[in-house]
Amino acid sequence: MAHEERARQAETVLALKRPPVRQSVVVRSNRPHTFDTFVRTLGTWWPVTPFSSGKDRVRAVTFERRAGGRIYETWQDGTEVDWGEVLAWEPPARFVMSWNMTPVPTEIELTFTELGPELTRVAVEHRGWERLTQEQIERDCVLPGGYLDGSYEKGWAVILGRFATAVGHP
């Protein structure tokens, strides 16, 4: 087998070991209100400590609600740090954004599924882990353990839990 072929197969196997992080939560709120609350009030419920660059220096989180829009934090001194860019914008069903807070940008998709008149499932899929090197994938995020030890799964569970509290939890 040629060296190039072995290298390609190794990359494929490595990518298969990096499935997307998936989490969801059900909230007692209709889908349009749930979607709007998520993007409009992100800065009020998102746990910036520890899930931001500026942590206690963050004074605002802005979500520009359109394809091509930015999601960024603003610090008390006016510094802006990009979290990502809106890649797909389909209110109130879903949006997709790049996530620049990983060593190499990854991608996050949020879907909002109506389960009843006042019941919505909010699901996140954080994908693109195959873009990171082995060293980057092993590195810790803000929670100990990095991707391989489930810290991103734990982080998204915390984030969605905070959102559920903000919008209403069944």
Side-chain angles (χ1 to χ4, degrees):
M1 183 181 302
H3 174 71
E4 293 83 17
E5 179 64 19
R6 282 194 302 272
R8 187 186 61 73
Q9 286 179 347
E11 288 174 14
T12 301
V13 170
L14 186 58
L16 292 175
K17 293 180 182 178
R18 299 179 182 173
V21 172
R22 292 185 177 106
Q23 293 286 333
S24 66
V25 67
V26 175
V27 297
R28 188 169 303 285
S29 171
N30 67 53
R31 185 168 76 159
H33 180 260
T34 302
F35 184 94
D36 185 60
T37 300
F38 192 101
V39 298
R40 186 177 41 79
T41 67
L42 183 67
T44 63
W45 59 263
W46 184 278
V48 292
T49 300
F51 301 109
S52 71
S53 290
K55 300 183 181 24
D56 62 350
R57 294 176 290 180
V58 175
R59 76 163 193 244
V61 178
T62 303
F63 190 116
E64 296 177 348
R65 295 174 278 179
R66 59 180 170 75
R70 292 171 55 215
I71 301 95
Y72 61 96
E73 63 187 60
T74 305
W75 298 356
Q76 294 162 351
D77 68 1
T79 300
E80 292 182 355
V81 177
D82 281 343
W83 288 8
E85 177 185 343
V86 179
L87 304 174
W89 181 248
E90 301 170 21
R94 72 186 271 269
F95 69 85
V96 179
M97 63 178 282
S98 63
W99 183 248
N100 298 341
M101 305 296 276
T102 45
V104 173
T106 51
E107 190 174 276
I108 296 170
E109 179 175 9
L110 269 290
T111 57
F112 301 78
T113 305
E114 187 173 311
L115 302 176
E118 293 294 321
L119 210 56
T120 304
R121 181 182 334 110
V122 181
V124 63
E125 179 176 287
H126 192 161
R127 56 188 178 237
W129 302 105
E130 65 280 355
R131 297 176 188 143
L132 281 71
T133 66
Q134 188 65 26
E135 180 184 335
Q136 291 169 328
I137 206 86
E138 290 172 353
R139 202 175 297 151
D140 287 349
C141 70
V142 297
L143 300 178
Y147 169 87
L148 294 177
D149 284 338
S151 63
Y152 284 90
E153 289 176 18
K154 293 172 193 161
W156 278 111
V158 168
I159 291 164
L160 290 178
R162 286 282 299 269
F163 175 67
T165 299
V167 76
H169 198 283

